[in-house]
Each structure stands twice: as structure tokens, then as C-alpha cells.
């Protein structure tokens, strides 16, 4: 009974507050929103969007196999960068990689890599990276901290990014080394790192152009 | 037995290189045969050994050729007929050529397939050509074909050596045997 009465009183208080706010709004419209809910920080204006140019992009990977470095690329991937150098808080990096597009210039190795014991490309056809924060490092380059989802496993990853202005866009380059076993790439016999290294170096070179309607030519 | 060759017999280094390469070629063949029926990690390991050993054969072949150039070559027995000399010369030339050509086609095959060749995980040989499927298939066919040619010429070589030993009863075989003594 007491609880019921108290909640009735609280509801009444809210009604009074809203009514007061409404009457205040009628007097001084400009000041009213600040009185009701003062925002703690200015709402960030969206950073300009950039997407990769149709050509000139590479996403490569390299690993040691039987003593020699083996190379491959992902032929299909999508990169989107929301970037404002004066407002890194509003900047964001999004990457999507089509795993079945992997190419090491050897059919047998590609098939093995795409198989269930390695990438399991049929079950996990896409890998994603989404940044949660982009910061500037001492040398002026950027670091995109975020999460990489690969083969059903999501892990924290920081991508070093070098951005160079190119035309009205940017050239993005960098490389990062990840451990394949962290993502379960290597089941059964491929769990061994004696013949195929755990470390895989990923390198990227992306030509970013302003997003929006394609420039007519 | 001397380290260097003389005009009558092969020295220790020549004999060692000869028999070492023979043994390695036999091992190479058996690894390749086994790899044919393998897959995955097993095949990867077999091909690793095959390539590392094959490159060793190539390097030893270079040493052998250089050693032959800076050394006397033992002469054939005086009784050897001219057609026998011609056949011996041809088979030796062919054996040397194949000793280079087989590892080289293997190396080219690896490069064409974008599988760099490691030498016992110590260093990686540079790729000779850029990856290309058709080129790979060409060398993939040529490599075992040259091996078959090697088997045929080697059989001729062995037949010649045995003929010298058992029919002509001269020192031609003995002077290449690991512990063969020459009168």
C-alpha cells in the first residue's frame, strides 16, 4: 500500500516537472532544451566517408611454410573509412573480406586453405573488422583499434594505418601480424606450427576515394 | 687413392660426389613417388625434403663440374673401340646435362606454382619465374620426363661399366668404386 502511494507521488512529480518545462518553453524557447536534458558533449558531425577505388587495392597475406615464405591475396574485400583528421572521435574503419576470394596462385593450396580445417570458407565466407577508436600515434600515423571477426572468432586487433593524401582521397597502407590459431585457422594436423607458421602477416594497400555517386567521366 | 684425379684413376672427391649424387637421386625418386599419393601436411613435408635435397644435388653438380674442369680426367682403356668411346662420351654428357636440368626444372616448377624453395629452412632460393599455371604444368610434365631419360642413360652407363669390368676386364669400373684399387 505504501509503495503504491509512493509511486503515485513520483508520477505526480514527473508530471509537475514536464508541465513546468512546457511553460518555460513557452516563455524562452531557445533555453528550454538545455534545461530538460543538457547534452554532456557536442554531437559529433559525421566524418566524410571514403571507400576503396575500383582498382589499385591489395590485401595480401604471408606465412612461413616449410621454411619458405608463402604469399597470397584476397581478391574481394571492401573498405570504408569515415575520416576527419580534426575529429578522430568521429572516424571509423570498416573492412569486409570475402574469404573464398583467397588466391595463392595455386589451386591445390587455395583449396586446402579454404577447407574446413583451415579457413572453412563455406561456413565462414566473410571476415569483418570494425574499429571502435582511431587514434594518432607519435609518428603521425593512425592506429585503428577494434575487433576482427574471422572464422567465427572475434578478437581485439589494432591496425596500423598510414594515410597519405592522394587526389581528393587517401592512400591507406599498413601491415599487421596475427596468429592464425587465435581464430581457429588450423584444425587437426594443421594445428601444428612446425610446417605452417602461426604468425600470418597481413598487408594492405587501399586507394580511398570520396564515397557517393561515382564521378561522371 | 689421391684426393685429386689422375690420368689413370678418379680421386676421393670425384668418387664421393659420384656416389653421393647416385644415392641422393634414388632417395629423390622414392620421396617423389610417395608424395604422389600423399595430401595435406604429409605431402608438404615430402615436397620440402624433395626440394631441399634436389637443390643440394644441383649445388653438388656445380662442384662436380668445376672439379672436373680443374682436374685431369682418367683416360678410357686403350682397347676401347671408337663407337664405345662415342657412346661413353654421349652418355657422360647427357648425365651431366640431366644432373643440372632435373633440379632446375624442379626449381622452375616451384617458382611457377608460387612455392618458394627453402634449403633446409636455412635460406630460400629466389624464384626464377613468376607464377603461371600453364608454365607450371609444362615443367610438371618435363621434370619426371627428364628423370625417365636419366634412368635410360644411367642404365647405358651401368651397362658400359659392367662391360668394362666383366668382359674387357679393365679398371674402368674399379677406379670409380668407393674403395676400388687400381693396379
Amino acid at each position: 500500500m505504501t509503495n503504491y502511494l509512493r509511486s503515485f507521488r513520483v508520477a505526480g512529480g514527473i508530471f509537475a516537472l514536464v508541465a513546468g518545462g512546457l511553460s518555460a518553453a513557452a516563455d524562452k524557447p531557445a533555453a528550454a532544451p538545455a534545461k530538460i536534458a543538457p547534452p554532456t558533449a557536442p554531437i559529433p558531425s559525421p566524418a566524410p566517408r571514403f571507400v576503396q577505388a575500383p582498382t589499385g587495392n591489395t590485401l595480401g597475406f604471408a606465412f612461413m611454410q616449410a621454411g619458405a615464405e608463402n604469399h597470397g591475396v584476397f581478391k574481394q574485400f571492401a573498405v570504408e573509412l569515415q575520416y576527419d583528421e580534426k575529429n578522430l572521435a568521429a572516424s571509423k574503419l570498416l573492412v569486409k573480406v570475402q574469404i573464398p576470394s583467397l588466391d595463392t596462385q595455386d589451386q591445390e593450396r587455395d583449396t586446402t586453405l579454404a577447407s574446413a580445417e583451415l579457413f572453412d570458407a563455406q561456413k565462414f565466407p566473410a571476415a569483418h573488422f570494425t574499429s571502435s577508436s582511431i587514434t594518432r600515434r607519435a609518428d603521425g600515423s593512425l592506429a585503428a583499434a577494434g575487433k576482427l571477426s574471422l572464422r567465427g572468432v572475434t578478437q581485439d586487433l589494432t591496425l596500423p594505418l598510414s594515410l597519405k593524401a592522394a587526389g581528393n582521397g587517401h592512400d591507406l597502407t599498413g601491415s599487421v601480424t596475427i596468429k592464425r590459431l587465435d581464430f581457429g585457422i588450423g584444425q587437426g594436423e594443421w594445428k601444428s606450427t612446425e610446417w605452417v607458421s602461426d604468425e600470418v602477416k597481413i598487408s594492405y594497400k587501399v586507394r580511398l576515394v570520396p564515397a557517393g555517386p561515382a564521378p561522371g567521366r | 687413392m689421391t684426393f685429386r684425379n689422375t690420368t689413370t684413376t678418379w680421386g676421393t672427391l670425384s668418387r664421393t660426389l659420384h656416389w653421393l649424387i647416385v644415392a641422393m637421386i634414388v632417395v629423390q625418386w622414392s620421396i617423389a613417388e610417395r608424395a604422389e599419393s600423399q595430401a595435406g601436411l604429409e605431402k608438404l613435408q615430402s615436397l620440402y625434403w624433395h626440394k631441399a635435397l634436389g637443390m643440394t644435388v644441383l649445388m653438388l653438380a656445380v662442384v662436380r663440374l668445376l672439379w672436373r674442369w680443374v682436374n685431369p680426367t682418367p683416360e678410357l682403356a686403350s682397347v676401347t673401340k671408337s663407337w664405345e668411346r662415342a657412346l661413353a662420351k654421349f652418355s657422360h654428357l647427357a648425365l651431366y646435362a640431366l644432373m643440372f636440368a632435373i633440379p632446375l626444372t624442379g626449381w622452375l616448377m616451384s617458382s611457377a606454382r608460387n612455392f618458394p624453395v627453402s634449403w633446409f629452412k636455412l635460406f630460400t632460393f629466389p624464384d626464377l619465374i613468376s607464377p603461371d599455371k600453364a608454365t607450371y604444368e609444362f615443367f610438371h610434365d618435363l621434370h619426371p620426363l627428364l628423370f625417365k631419360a636419366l634412368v635410360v642413360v644411367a642404365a647405358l652407363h651401368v651397362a658400359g661399366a659392367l662391360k668394362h669390368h666383366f668382359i674387357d676386364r679393365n679398371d674402368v669400373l674399379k677406379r670409380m668404386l668407393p674403395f676400388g684399387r687400381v693396379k
Side-chain angles (χ1 to χ4, degrees):
Chain A
M1 196 61 161
T2 327
N3 279 345
Y4 177 77
L5 281 174
R6 191 178 292 150
S7 64
F8 186 80
R9 220 176 297 145
V10 170
I14 290 171
F15 178 78
L17 193 75
V18 171
L22 282 174
S23 69
D27 296 342
K28 287 186 279 176
K35 225 177 188 177
I36 291 172
T40 50
I43 297 160
S45 56
R49 280 177 70 231
F50 298 91
V51 292
Q52 76 210 66
T55 55
N57 310 296
T58 51
L59 176 60
F61 58 92
F63 56 98
M64 292 300 284
Q65 178 182 285
E69 195 175 60
N70 279 230
H71 300 266
V73 294
F74 289 101
K75 284 179 159 173
Q76 288 163 25
F77 58 96
V79 178
E80 182 184 326
L81 180 69
Q82 295 159 20
Y83 180 64
D84 180 351
E85 61 175 358
K86 293 188 185 73
N87 188 3
L88 289 180
S91 300
K92 199 173 179 70
L93 177 69
L94 302 154
V95 182
K96 185 180 180 183
V97 182
Q98 298 298 333
I99 300 297
S101 75
L102 70 88
D103 181 15
T104 67
Q105 295 180 290
D106 177 63
Q107 189 68 55
E108 193 178 333
R109 183 171 41 197
D110 290 353
T111 308
T112 305
L113 282 172
S115 71
E117 289 194 325
L118 289 152
F119 274 104
D120 201 357
Q122 215 173 347
K123 201 170 162 197
F124 306 104
H128 298 268
F129 176 81
T130 307
S131 73
S132 48
S133 77
I134 295 183
T135 50
R136 193 169 299 280
R137 298 191 297 186
D139 65 354
S141 67
L142 302 172
K147 294 206 181 293
L148 174 65
S149 300
L150 177 58
R151 204 186 185 274
V153 178
T154 300
Q155 295 247 335
D156 288 330
L157 180 69
T158 299
L159 296 181
L161 309 173
S162 283
L163 274 192
K164 212 174 78 185
N168 51 359
H170 303 277
D171 278 343
L172 182 157
T173 53
S175 68
V176 69
T177 299
I178 63 167
K179 291 188 168 179
R180 64 181 176 95
L181 294 178
D182 286 353
F183 298 90
I185 299 173
Q187 302 291 318
E189 63 175 7
W190 299 106
K191 261 188 188 158
S192 163
T193 55
E194 192 189 348
W195 294 92
V196 179
S197 64
D198 193 7
E199 288 82 17
V200 179
K201 188 181 175 188
I202 298 166
S203 40
Y204 32 92
K205 196 174 128 231
V206 184
R207 166 146 285 196
L208 291 164
V209 292
R217 269 186 200 185
Chain B
M1 202 194 302
T2 56
F3 184 68
R4 289 178 65 90
N5 301 343
T6 67
T7 50
T8 53
T9 190
W10 298 100
T12 328
L13 185 61
S14 292
R15 296 191 201 196
T16 307
L17 287 170
H18 175 274
W19 292 105
L20 190 60
I21 290 175
V22 170
M24 288 178 79
I25 290 170
V26 173
V27 171
Q28 283 294 75
W29 168 76
S30 72
I31 296 175
E33 281 294 299
R34 213 176 44 185
E36 284 292 308
S37 57
Q38 288 176 327
L41 204 51
E42 273 190 339
K43 186 175 182 181
L44 201 147
Q45 287 176 45
S46 292
L47 293 180
Y48 160 78
W49 288 108
H50 187 77
K51 290 178 196 185
L53 287 173
M55 295 309 282
T56 311
V57 171
L58 182 61
M59 290 188 279
L60 290 176
V62 173
V63 173
R64 212 173 152 187
L65 192 64
L66 292 175
W67 189 242
R68 196 184 167 111
W69 268 334
V70 299
N71 266 267
T73 304
E75 285 157 13
L76 279 174
S78 54
V79 293
T80 314
K81 295 178 194 76
S82 66
W83 68 268
E84 288 176 325
R85 283 175 186 274
L87 205 56
K89 197 166 187 175
F90 160 78
S91 60
H92 289 150
L93 203 69
L95 288 172
Y96 267 93
L98 290 166
M99 198 160 61
F100 281 91
I102 297 173
L104 276 172
T105 52
W107 186 0
L108 285 161
M109 185 190 352
S110 292
S111 298
R113 208 180 166 183
N114 200 21
F115 272 90
V117 178
S118 166
W119 196 70
F120 299 105
K121 298 187 182 176
L122 294 175
F123 65 89
T124 305
F125 281 94
D127 290 330
L128 296 176
I129 47 172
S130 44
D132 180 67
K133 198 163 187 271
T135 314
Y136 163 71
E137 276 161 8
F138 172 75
F139 286 115
H140 184 254
D141 291 343
L142 186 61
H143 188 64
L145 192 71
L146 292 178
F147 176 72
K148 281 176 191 147
L150 177 73
V151 172
V152 172
V153 183
L156 188 67
H157 179 69
V158 169
L162 293 177
K163 192 235 174 211
H164 278 293
H165 191 72
F166 292 108
I167 298 170
D168 301 338
R169 295 182 177 274
N170 58 30
D171 286 339
V172 168
L173 174 64
K174 265 197 274 179
R175 68 192 191 187
M176 189 47 112
L177 288 179
F179 303 105
R181 294 252 172 136
V182 180
K183 278 172 261 171

